């Protein structure tokens, strides 16, 4: 792998930029691998990357049904934060956020991490109490957040209307080192690093079945033939239930559509991320100037990657009152992603009833921010066969035991 | 946009008039059941990419709960039926089988 640097740009400029090599190879699958990761989204690629980097396992294939980073990794609103209430969540999301800080240097790929600050608006008295509690919990967890006044919110976000009357801003939970990153670059950077370590990224290859013998996984049937493996990691978000079904177990996961939309580009007007959880409106301004807006989920199972229009209407109706400046903006694109929701709205990083088969799913509406931490924890699980400290509370048996990591209650909404 | 016909009042209602209630025909387990049964009842929902039976409530209409058969992969609605049904009506199951020959059947 040729390193990207200012000198490389200068050198390639002399060749009219015709000499850049492909960022990753696209080999045909081998007969067998030490580990197969199903799903070349952010979480799958990060898992493979840390398998190689932290555990020295590089005889790995990452199998992808569509194209790399083409699922929820390419469909989210790129928000990164770690201001969670529960200790287990704060640990893994803060691990992820801290890995984002150095990801560009680590991968030698500019992921454009922008720790521009993130506000979660309190617009009801219930939220005031909830976020003050979270701020205290974060202080104990070592996550830098603070509760700020409406005046401070107005100072950070001059375009905001804090007076209501329907949706007044009563304060906010502020995480100064939260922000955004370039979502595609995260997938591409991991893919390039994985390929450089000798891993095989196999796109357009759909898993059709999981082969087990005596309760232990042996390989996967795919649209490109049978591929054997010693270990299998399933990291497929919305289709986790389908893969689990192939492997012969059930997951406490339901797939629903989550929507986002983006406006025409305008001049810089907001240099923080603002989340209004009560109205399911999440807004930031991209480097191109577009206002990127996340909405809420539908209330029914859906695999169509398009959501119900009335959710968009509800989100915008509220945001227009909070941000009057956007009322005349044209919305350019709207799309949906299929997210896998668990009963406690926390993820599953777990061993499964099938031997040597591991699952990472259930990130629901907030998976992008967790990509590096999730990959770190999943790689440890796949490599050692047992979860490390980051993953152990996220096992799939917690529902039976009643040991929920209850973030839906913590925030009053899904993340 | 989903349009479901309420089997009670006959109104063809679009989804803003309705409230979704997830999986239908759940068998309920309570005190005295095994841990596995209770966990499955509480959390292990069917999540098919295809034919799915679910509960809906005509919340801004007659207010009653009813059940619907729908394809989660295409949003096609096969039909609706009253909530007092222990399983989908036979004619509805036949209609789904005709449209989805691969469908493995209810349960």
């Amino acid at each position: 792998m040729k390193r990207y640097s200012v000198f490389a740009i200068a050198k390639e400029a002399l060749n009219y930029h015709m000499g850049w090599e492909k960022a990753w190879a696209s080999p045909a699958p081998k007969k067998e691998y030490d580990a197969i990761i199903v799903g070349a989204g952010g979480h799958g690629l990060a898992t493979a990357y840390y398998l190689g980097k932290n555990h020295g396992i590089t005889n790995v294939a990452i199998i992808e049904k569509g194209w790399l980073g083409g699922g929820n990794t390419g469909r989210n609103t790129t928000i990164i934060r770690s201001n969670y209430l529960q200790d287990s969540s704060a640990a893994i999301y803060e691990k992820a956020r801290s890995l984002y800080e150095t990801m560009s240097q680590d991968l030698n790929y500019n992921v454009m991490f922008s720790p521009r600050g993130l506000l979660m608006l309190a617009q009801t008295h219930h939220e005031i109490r909830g976020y003050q509690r979270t701020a205290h919990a974060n202080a104990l967890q070592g996550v830098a957040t603070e509760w700020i006044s409406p005046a401070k919110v107005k100072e950070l976000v001059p375009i905001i209307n804090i007076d209501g009357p329907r949706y007044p801003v009563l304060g906010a939970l502020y995480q100064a080192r939260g922000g955004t990153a370039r979502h595609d670059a995260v997938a591409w950077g991991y893919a390039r690093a994985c390929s450089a370590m000798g891993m095989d990224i196999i796109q357009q290859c759909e898993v059709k079945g999981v082969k087990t013998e005596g309760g232990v996984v042996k390989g996967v049937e795919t649209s490109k033939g049978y591929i054997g493996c010693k270990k299998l990691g399933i990291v497929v978000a919305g289709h986790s239930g389908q893969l689990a079904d192939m492997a012969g177990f059930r997951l406490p996961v339901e797939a629903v559509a989550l929507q986002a939309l983006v406006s025409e580009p305008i001049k810089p007007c907001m240099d923080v991320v603002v989340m209004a959880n009560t109205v399911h409106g999440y807004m930031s301004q991209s480097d191109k100037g577009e206002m990127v807006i996340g909405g809420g989920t539908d209330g029914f199972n859906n695999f169509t990657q398009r959501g119900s229009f009335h959710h968009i209407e509800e989100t915008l109706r509220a945001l227009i009152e909070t941000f009057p400046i956007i009322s005349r903006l044209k919305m350019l694109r709207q799309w949906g992603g299929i997210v896998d929701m668990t009963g406690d709205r926390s993820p599953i990083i777990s061993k499964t009833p099938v031997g040597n088969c591991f699952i990472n799913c259930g990130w629901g509406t907030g998976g992008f921010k967790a990509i590096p931490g999730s990959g770190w924890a999943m790689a440890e699980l796949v490599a050692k066969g047992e979860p490390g400290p980051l993953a152990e509370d996220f096992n799939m048996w917690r529902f039976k035991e009643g040991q929920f990591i209850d973030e839906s209650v913590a925030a009053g909404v899904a993340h | 946009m989903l349009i479901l016909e309420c089997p009670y009042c006959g109104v063809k209602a679009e989804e803003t008039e309705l409230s979704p209630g997830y999986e239908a025909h759940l068998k309920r387990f309570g005190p005295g059941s095994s841990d596995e049964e209770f966990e499955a009842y509480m959390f292990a929902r069917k999540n098919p990419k295809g034919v799915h039976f679910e509960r809906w409530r005509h919340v801004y209409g007659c207010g009653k709960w009813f059940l619907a058969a729908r394809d989660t992969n295409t949003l096609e609605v096969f039909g609706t039926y009253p909530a007092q049904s222990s399983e989908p009506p036979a004619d509805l199951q036949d209609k789904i089988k005709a449209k989805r020959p691969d469908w493995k059947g209810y349960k």
Side-chain angles (χ1 to χ4, degrees):
Chain A
M1 180 178 86
K2 287 186 193 165
R3 274 188 72 78
Y4 293 156
S5 70
V6 64
F7 304 108
I9 292 174
K11 190 176 154 218
E12 293 300 333
L14 299 173
N15 294 330
Y16 301 97
H17 293 289
M18 300 298 282
W20 294 105
E21 63 185 5
K22 285 196 171 172
W24 56 83
S26 297
K30 291 193 271 188
K31 281 205 167 63
E32 183 160 18
Y33 293 90
D34 288 343
I36 289 179
I37 305 298
V38 184
H43 291 260
L45 290 162
T47 300
Y49 174 72
Y50 293 111
L51 266 180
K53 187 177 182 230
N54 294 356
H55 304 281
I57 300 170
T58 55
N59 183 20
V60 174
I62 306 127
I63 298 178
E64 169 58 46
K65 175 177 72 168
W67 66 96
L68 187 158
N72 294 343
T73 303
R75 289 168 178 272
N76 62 82
T77 53
T78 80
I79 295 172
I80 295 165
R81 63 185 178 86
S82 58
N83 52 352
Y84 283 75
L85 179 66
Q86 309 291 349
D87 291 350
S88 318
S89 316
I92 195 163
Y93 287 106
E94 176 61 12
K95 176 71 180 171
R97 198 206 58 76
S98 66
L99 286 168
Y100 269 116
E101 297 253 7
T102 53
M103 189 183 283
S104 295
Q105 292 76 16
D106 190 26
L107 298 178
N108 181 231
Y109 201 100
N110 186 4
V111 302
M112 297 163 74
F113 176 56
S114 164
R116 59 183 66 180
L118 176 141
L119 293 166
M120 277 169 109
L121 301 182
Q123 299 188 289
T124 64
H125 287 276
H126 170 75
E127 279 182 305
I128 293 177
R129 287 192 292 271
Y131 292 151
Q132 284 178 344
R133 184 181 172 209
T134 304
H136 292 312
N138 290 160
L140 293 171
Q141 292 150 351
V143 177
T145 65
E146 61 179 313
W147 169 256
I148 61 172
S149 67
K152 176 77 175 167
V153 173
K154 182 75 183 170
E155 191 187 316
L156 287 165
V157 194
I159 64 169
I160 206 167
N161 166 30
I162 60 171
D163 297 328
R166 283 193 196 88
Y167 311 103
V169 176
L170 306 170
L173 180 65
Y174 179 48
Q175 184 170 25
R177 295 300 287 179
T180 62
R182 173 88 170 95
H183 50 1
D184 295 326
V186 173
W188 297 337
Y190 275 128
R192 176 166 167 267
C194 288
S195 189
M197 284 191 280
M199 298 178 182
D200 289 352
I201 299 167
I202 303 157
Q203 302 181 69
Q204 309 285 334
C205 179
E206 184 176 356
V207 171
K208 305 273 193 190
V210 176
K211 192 184 165 203
T212 58
E213 253 176 49
V216 177
V217 78
K218 291 290 165 197
V220 288
E221 291 290 348
T222 76
S223 54
K224 292 189 176 178
Y226 175 77
I227 311 173
C229 66
K230 296 195 177 79
K231 291 178 173 181
L232 180 67
I234 300 171
V235 195
V236 295
H239 287 79
S240 297
Q242 279 61 45
L243 264 291
D245 197 35
M246 290 176 201
F249 61 94
R250 275 183 90 176
L251 280 175
V253 162
E254 284 182 280
V256 297
L258 174 69
Q259 297 183 83
L261 66 163
V262 66
S263 77
E264 59 189 324
I266 55 173
K267 286 186 177 177
C269 64
M270 193 174 82
D271 61 358
V272 291
V273 180
V274 178
M275 306 180 64
N277 292 331
T278 299
V279 299
H280 286 300
Y282 313 99
M283 190 160 84
S284 63
Q285 189 167 24
S286 75
D287 293 341
K288 284 186 285 185
E290 303 151 327
M291 303 310 284
V292 181
I293 298 170
T297 52
D298 289 347
F300 54 85
N301 298 31
N302 187 351
F303 284 89
T304 61
Q305 290 192 328
R306 60 177 191 271
S308 302
F309 189 72
H310 65 95
H311 287 296
I312 293 290
E313 193 180 3
E314 285 160 13
T315 294
L316 290 182
R317 188 194 299 148
L319 284 184
I320 283 168
E321 190 169 304
T322 310
F323 301 96
I325 188 177
I326 68 167
S327 65
R328 301 290 180 90
L329 276 187
K330 292 178 183 70
M331 293 299 156
L332 291 190
R333 298 188 303 280
Q334 170 261 341
W335 64 92
I338 302 308
V339 298
D340 40 340
M341 308 289 274
T342 61
D344 61 1
R345 300 293 183 262
S346 283
I348 293 170
I349 306 173
S350 179
K351 303 205 297 194
T352 68
V354 179
N356 288 343
C357 176
F358 306 93
I359 189 140
N360 181 350
C361 68
W363 291 95
T365 62
F368 176 75
K369 69 173 86 69
I371 283 173
S374 155
W376 186 286
M378 181 67 174
E380 189 173 7
L381 174 64
V382 173
K384 297 180 179 169
E386 293 293 331
L390 282 178
E392 60 184 358
D393 292 344
F394 294 101
N395 69 74
M396 64 185 281
W397 291 281
R398 69 176 185 269
F399 299 98
K400 187 172 152 191
E401 303 295 331
Q403 291 174 329
F404 312 119
I405 302 162
D406 210 338
E407 291 293 350
S408 53
V409 172
V413 298
H415 289 276
Chain B
M1 179 157 284
L2 281 176
I3 296 173
L4 303 179
E5 184 176 330
C6 175
Y8 299 105
C9 59
V11 171
K12 281 194 171 62
E14 57 103 348
E15 61 178 286
T16 58
E17 198 175 320
L18 303 164
S19 174
Y22 291 95
E23 186 181 336
H25 305 298
L26 277 181
K27 186 164 184 227
R28 283 162 178 78
F29 290 92
S33 60
S34 73
D35 284 358
E36 285 71 24
E37 285 168 338
F38 190 65
E39 183 205 5
Y41 156 55
M42 287 292 281
F43 297 106
R45 292 287 171 274
K46 285 180 187 157
N47 189 26
K49 187 173 181 177
V51 179
H52 193 41
F53 298 91
E54 57 194 1
R55 310 192 309 150
W56 286 82
R57 187 174 169 228
H58 192 188
V59 61
Y60 295 115
C62 65
K64 287 180 182 161
W65 284 99
F66 63 91
L67 308 179
R70 187 174 63 84
D71 189 325
T72 61
N73 200 28
T74 62
L75 300 187
E76 181 181 358
V77 177
F78 301 112
T80 56
Y81 51 101
Q84 294 79 8
S85 316
S86 55
E87 62 176 57
D91 59 333
L92 180 60
Q93 294 198 44
D94 292 342
K95 186 178 161 189
I96 297 170
K97 269 179 202 150
K99 286 190 170 183
R100 298 282 186 279
D102 295 344
W103 182 50
K104 292 192 182 98
Y106 171 69
K107 293 210 175 175

